[in-house]
């Protein structure tokens, strides 16, 4: 909260930080040797780079196909898909709704969609219920044509005979020794949300009972979101453990040799300890529910996952991020350490870029952008890992302005939301103001506050005006300015 100049809040305020992050109300809209991605230590040129987040939703799944990345995240009432030729411009892509349902038994709480191509069709796997969580079941839809964006038609419910009436979420497809298997999180003797695997006779038909996998996880809670990598004669199953609302949500791993039956639990070898977990020094908490994708030229492996910028127990602020992964000398995947939200990374090999550059609140920019202020603004580095380059500007004085000048086609504004923040009025190119509430029930950094409409390529301005007002939940009227992401195509 900016009344504390980004210092550590007192105990009473730390308690008030717990809660659910207020919704933005914005419509946003195997493999070969690789090295783990690393954060840049100094400003990076714009060409061929990107920064997270890729999307404001959780539970991502992504693939690259015929010139575009395709991304889904959990949206709740439908399945939406984002498509972009570059990772750098996924955040600005207009979503397409690829699935809704009118059947009342499966039209609510639609979570964790994944999509796979088998033959000339795509299959969309997801979990949904009737409004009661324990009624979650797994379903599959089939595309009408060879296009991951559909349209789709309902195909089947996917329930193993021994769990026909049981809770089931997070479907993933295991492809092992030429056969297909359904891996998912559901009831078993180890957890309410435990890893189960069942055989498939085709992409939409479960052909036998599920077996339970006793997967370790460093906590007694969930084992969910199983995903798979294939390399060096082994299948690597990674999965998320612990409660996704907690900062210790993390990824663990097991492996299976080629030729071994995945329906025999003893054939799976447990890797000890998490392989992807919180990085407090990078401001990353609860990294998990992930998937893997290949670079456009097929030479690199990448992970896409959700994480938070707060250590508070909350299901809000889970945003989609991506980074390159590597491989260890023993042939196992090296997922690395989660990078800071705004870390500048090289785009995947073969990604057309360039797509975006940044403007920091202190005036530094990796492209043709600047920022100027009127009035007296506070500035400093107290927000540390919660801010881009560790600093931001903030003010509660009505009439103070921050104006970003940029050359491009669109601009996104990311900054701190907090319990002491108020209203700002934003205008593009001197046009009508849009009133935005910067309040958040939980303090989070580099939160997407605003995404402009598409603009003709050229020189533009975004003005942020402090109104000095706040809603009834907030304790003050501060507005934060941290970084802008400018898009050029």
């Amino acid at each position: 909260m900016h009344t504390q100049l980004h210092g550590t809040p007192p105990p009473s305020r730390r308690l008030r930080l717990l809660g659910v992050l207020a919704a933005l109300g914005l419509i946003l809209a195997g493999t070969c040797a690789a090295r783990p991605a690393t954060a840049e230590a100094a400003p990076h040129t714009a060409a061929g780079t990107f920064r997270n987040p890729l999307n404001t939703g959780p539970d991502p799944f992504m693939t690259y196909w015929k010139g575009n990345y395709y991304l889904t995240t959990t949206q709740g009432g439908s399945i939406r898909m984002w498509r972009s030729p570059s990772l750098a411009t996924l955040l600005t892509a207009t979503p397409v709704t690829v699935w809704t349902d009118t059947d009342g038994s499966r039209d609510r709480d639609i979570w964790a969609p994944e999509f796979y191509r088998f033959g000339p069709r795509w299959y969309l796997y997801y979990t949904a219920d009737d409004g009661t969580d324990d009624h979650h079941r797994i379903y599959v839809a089939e595309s009408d044509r060879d296009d991951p964006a559909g349209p789709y038609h309902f195909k089947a419910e996917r329930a193993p005979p021994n769990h026909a009436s049981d809770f089931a979420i997070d479907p993933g497809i295991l492809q092992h020794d030429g056969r297909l298997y359904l891996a998912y999180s559901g009831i078993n003797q180890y957890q309410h949300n435990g890893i189960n695997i069942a055989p498939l006779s085709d992409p939409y038909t479960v052909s036998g009972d599920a077996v339970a996998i006793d997967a370790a996880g460093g906590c007694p809670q969930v084992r969910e979101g199983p995903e798979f990598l294939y390399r060096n004669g082994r299948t690597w199953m990674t999965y998320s453990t612990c409660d996704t609302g907690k900062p210790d949500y993390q990824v663990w791993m097991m492996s299976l040799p080629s030729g071994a039956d995945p329906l025999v639990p003893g054939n799976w070898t447990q890797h000890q300890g998490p392989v992807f977990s919180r990085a407090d020094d990078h401001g990353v908490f609860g990294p998990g529910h992930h998937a893997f994708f290949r670079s456009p030229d097929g030479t690199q492996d990448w992970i896409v996952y959700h994480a938070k910028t707060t250590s508070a127990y909350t299901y809000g602020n889970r945003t989609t991020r991506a980074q390159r992964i590597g491989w260890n000398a023993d042939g196992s995947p090296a997922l690395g350490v989660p990078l800071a939200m705004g870390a500048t990374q090289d785009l995947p090999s073969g990604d057309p870029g360039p797509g975006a550059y940044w403007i920091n609140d202190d005036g530094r920019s990796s492209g043709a952008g600047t920022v100027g202020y009127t009035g007296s603004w506070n500035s400093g580095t107290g927000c540390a890992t919660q801010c881009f380059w560790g600093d931001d500007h903030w003010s509660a004085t009505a009439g103070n302005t921050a104006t970003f000048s940029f050359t491009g086609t669109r601009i996104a504004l990311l900054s701190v939301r907090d319990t002491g923040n108020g209203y700002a009025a934003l205008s593009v190119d001197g046009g009508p103001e849009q009133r935005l509430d910067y309040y958040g029930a939980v303090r989070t950094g580099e939160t997407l506050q605003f995404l402009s409409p598409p603009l003709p390529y050229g020189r533009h301005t975004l003005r942020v005006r402090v109104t000095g007002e706040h809603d009834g939940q907030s304790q003050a009227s501060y507005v934060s300015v941290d970084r802008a992401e400018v898009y050029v195509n």
Side-chain angles (χ1 to χ4, degrees), residues 61-208:
F61 185 86
M62 186 159 64
T63 194
Y64 184 87
W65 189 73
K66 288 191 175 180
N68 283 289
Y69 299 91
Y70 292 82
L71 169 71
T72 54
T73 62
T74 289
Q75 299 296 305
S78 65
I79 298 176
R80 290 193 289 171
M81 188 173 287
W82 287 261
R83 176 175 54 197
S84 173
S86 175
L87 212 61
T89 50
L90 262 175
L91 186 64
T92 63
T94 300
V96 175
T97 299
V98 299
W99 185 250
T100 57
D101 206 319
T102 57
D103 187 319
S105 68
R106 56 174 192 255
D107 65 348
R108 304 276 298 277
D109 302 322
I110 301 173
W111 297 346
E114 299 192 0
F115 50 98
Y116 300 80
R117 184 175 185 262
F118 298 114
R121 295 290 180 265
W122 291 80
Y123 293 88
L124 183 64
Y125 304 95
Y126 61 96
T127 182
D129 65 20
D130 57 2
T132 299
D133 184 31
D134 269 350
H135 293 169
H136 265 105
R137 302 291 184 268
I138 292 171
Y139 303 99
V140 58
E142 182 183 61
S143 69
D144 295 343
R145 58 177 185 248
D146 193 3
D147 188 340
Y152 287 89
H153 59 271
F154 183 79
K155 193 68 175 177
E157 179 180 347
R158 293 162 47 101
N162 59 331
H163 290 294
S165 300
D166 291 340
F167 171 88
I169 62 170
D170 292 359
I173 301 300
L174 164 60
Q175 304 177 58
H176 184 75
D177 291 340
R179 297 192 61 183
L180 300 179
Y181 301 84
L182 170 67
Y184 68 97
S185 178
I187 291 174
N188 63 31
Q189 63 265 44
Y190 305 113
Q191 286 94 20
H192 180 275
N193 296 41
I195 299 296
N196 294 325
I197 302 177
L200 298 173
S201 57
D202 56 45
Y204 48 87
T205 305
V206 176
S207 57

Side-chain angles (χ1 to χ4, degrees), residues 46-62:
T49 63
F50 78 101
R51 284 147 300 281
N52 288 311
L54 305 182
N55 188 276
T56 59
D59 305 335
F61 185 86
M62 186 159 64

Side-chain angles (χ1 to χ4, degrees), residues 235-259:
T235 290
W236 306 90
M237 178 173 69
T238 53
Y239 55 94
S240 301
T241 76
C242 307
D243 185 334
T244 189
K246 294 182 177 180
D248 290 318
Y249 193 60
Q250 57 193 249
V251 178
W252 284 57
M253 183 171 70
M254 304 181 79
S255 68
L256 178 77
S258 295

Side-chain angles (χ1 to χ4, degrees), residues 306-387:
H306 77 231
K308 301 181 295 184
T309 60
T310 176
S311 61
Y313 186 3
T314 175
Y315 296 99
N317 185 239
R318 295 178 297 162
T319 58
T320 289
R321 311 161 187 210
Q323 63 188 69
R324 188 177 172 183
I325 67 170
W327 293 86
N328 295 313
D330 66 358
S332 63
L335 304 192
V337 176
L339 300 180
M341 170 77 92
T344 295
Q345 303 180 61
D346 290 336
L347 285 165
S349 181
D351 188 301
Y357 65 90
W358 53 261
I359 307 172
N360 191 42
D361 67 285
D362 66 357
R364 289 180 291 175
S365 177
S366 62
T370 61
V371 61
Y373 299 90
T374 66
S376 178
W377 287 71
N378 300 293
S379 64
T381 59
C383 62
T385 58
Q386 284 198 315
C387 287

Side-chain angles (χ1 to χ4, degrees), residues 235-307:
T235 290
W236 306 90
M237 178 173 69
T238 53
Y239 55 94
S240 301
T241 76
C242 307
D243 185 334
T244 189
K246 294 182 177 180
D248 290 318
Y249 193 60
Q250 57 193 249
V251 178
W252 284 57
M253 183 171 70
M254 304 181 79
S255 68
L256 178 77
S258 295
D261 187 350
L263 298 179
V264 176
N267 287 341
W268 290 92
T269 299
Q270 180 72 58
H271 177 92
Q272 296 303 313
V275 293
F276 201 63
S277 58
R278 63 188 287 173
D280 295 40
D281 56 338
H282 291 168
V284 181
F285 303 94
H289 203 111
H290 61 292
F292 301 103
F293 66 98
R294 304 297 299 278
S295 61
D297 66 3
T299 66
Q300 297 172 347
D301 300 300
W302 287 69
I303 184 173
V304 60
Y305 62 99
H306 77 231

